[in-house]
Amino acid sequence: GAGVSQSPSNKVTEKGKDVELRCDPISGHTALYWYRQSLGQGLEFLIYFQGNSAPDKSGLPSDRFSAERTGGSVSTLTIQRTQQEDSAVYLCASSPSRDTQYFGPGTRLTVL
Amino acid sequence: GDSVTQMEGPVTLSEEAFLTINCTYTATGYPSLFWYVQYPGEGLQLLLKATKADDKGSNKGFEATYRKETTSFHLEKGSVQVSDSAVYFCALIDTGNQFYFGTGTSLTVIP
């Protein structure tokens, strides 16, 4: 079946602009994660959605970052007023159960 | 708090050499432990996992044993191939919902 998809695959933007990154999880997966992978760094947890529960936003680095998940499926990560330090690969993962994650290919964001 | 520490790379080995990538963790509860692999140009994939002490995860010739006494989950393979060239990430999930990842170890296998 289809895996996790993310769009766009690459995004170049100017400092101060807003960007939206999209994640389409595997159908039926109740949990969805967003991570940030910076050069030379591990994966940094950003936010977690589980079913209809309130999301765990504890990893969001600032109030410029927000995410939503509509209808328990597609998720959008929004970064407002982008800064150069936001440049990274943003990864989405969906999960049918605890202990299992399926990752998307990521969106490479470059802020000029 | 919870964390994962893995050996820094890059690691370069000749084909058929023995591989060890060290991983140690800190956790407040009884975590599940994972190794993920990221091949060039691809997304992260689960390589193997272990959910309790003394469990051994294995896949594609790779093995890792959950050692509670040393808080370690070292990745090993007896004979690496060129196709094993990738970045390897150690990770854990503990009592909450958040996964904690190491910084990744880049492996290059030369013929």
Side-chain angles (χ1 to χ4, degrees):
Chain A
V4 178
S5 61
Q6 292 186 244
S7 60
S9 55
N10 281 284
K11 177 71 176 180
V12 180
T13 190
E14 293 180 348
K15 178 181 173 181
K17 300 285 189 183
D18 298 352
V19 295
E20 286 189 350
L21 312 180
R22 177 187 169 105
C23 173
D24 284 86
I26 295 173
S27 178
H29 284 193
T30 56
L32 187 147
Y33 296 80
W34 281 99
Y35 296 91
R36 179 168 66 177
Q37 185 178 20
S38 302
L39 189 63
Q41 303 294 316
L43 274 69
E44 176 188 5
F45 166 79
L46 297 177
I47 190 168
Y48 164 75
F49 295 90
Q50 172 61 56
N52 295 320
S53 302
D56 178 352
K57 303 180 182 180
S58 59
L60 294 178
S62 77
D63 59 8
R64 296 187 295 105
F65 288 74
S66 62
E68 62 178 21
R69 188 178 185 191
T70 54
S73 181
V74 172
S75 179
T76 302
L77 176 69
T78 301
I79 309 173
Q80 294 179 311
R81 306 181 301 283
T82 52
Q83 304 295 313
Q84 288 183 332
E85 59 263 29
D86 299 334
S87 296
V89 176
Y90 289 82
L91 294 170
C92 173
S94 71
S95 175
S97 63
R98 205 169 181 277
D99 287 6
T100 305
Q101 292 186 103
Y102 295 84
F103 282 85
T107 293
R108 181 175 298 278
L109 174 66
T110 303
V111 182
L112 302 177
Chain B
D2 294 357
S3 66
V4 174
T5 302
Q6 62 181 102
M7 66 184 283
E8 293 189 15
V11 174
T12 302
L13 294 174
S14 296
E15 205 166 23
E16 299 183 3
F18 185 86
L19 168 72
T20 299
I21 301 178
N22 290 337
C23 171
T24 57
Y25 67 88
T26 301
T28 54
Y30 299 93
S32 295
L33 303 174
F34 307 83
W35 278 100
Y36 281 83
V37 59
Q38 187 173 29
Y39 297 105
E42 299 184 16
L44 271 81
Q45 305 171 25
L46 178 64
L47 179 60
L48 53 83
K49 69 178 182 182
T51 58
K52 61 183 187 297
D54 299 326
D55 271 3
K56 177 184 286 188
S58 61
N59 187 24
K60 299 182 180 180
F62 290 88
E63 294 183 339
T65 301
Y66 188 141
R67 301 286 188 196
K68 190 171 185 296
E69 63 276 16
T70 54
T71 61
S72 65
F73 193 55
H74 303 323
L75 182 68
E76 296 182 336
K77 186 173 185 181
S79 176
V80 293
Q81 305 300 311
V82 172
S83 57
D84 294 326
S85 297
V87 181
Y88 293 83
F89 293 88
C90 187
L92 70 82
I93 185 169
D94 196 359
T95 54
N97 303 307
Q98 183 174 344
F99 282 79
Y100 295 85
F101 285 80
T103 55
T105 301
S106 175
L107 170 67
T108 300
V109 180
I110 54 176

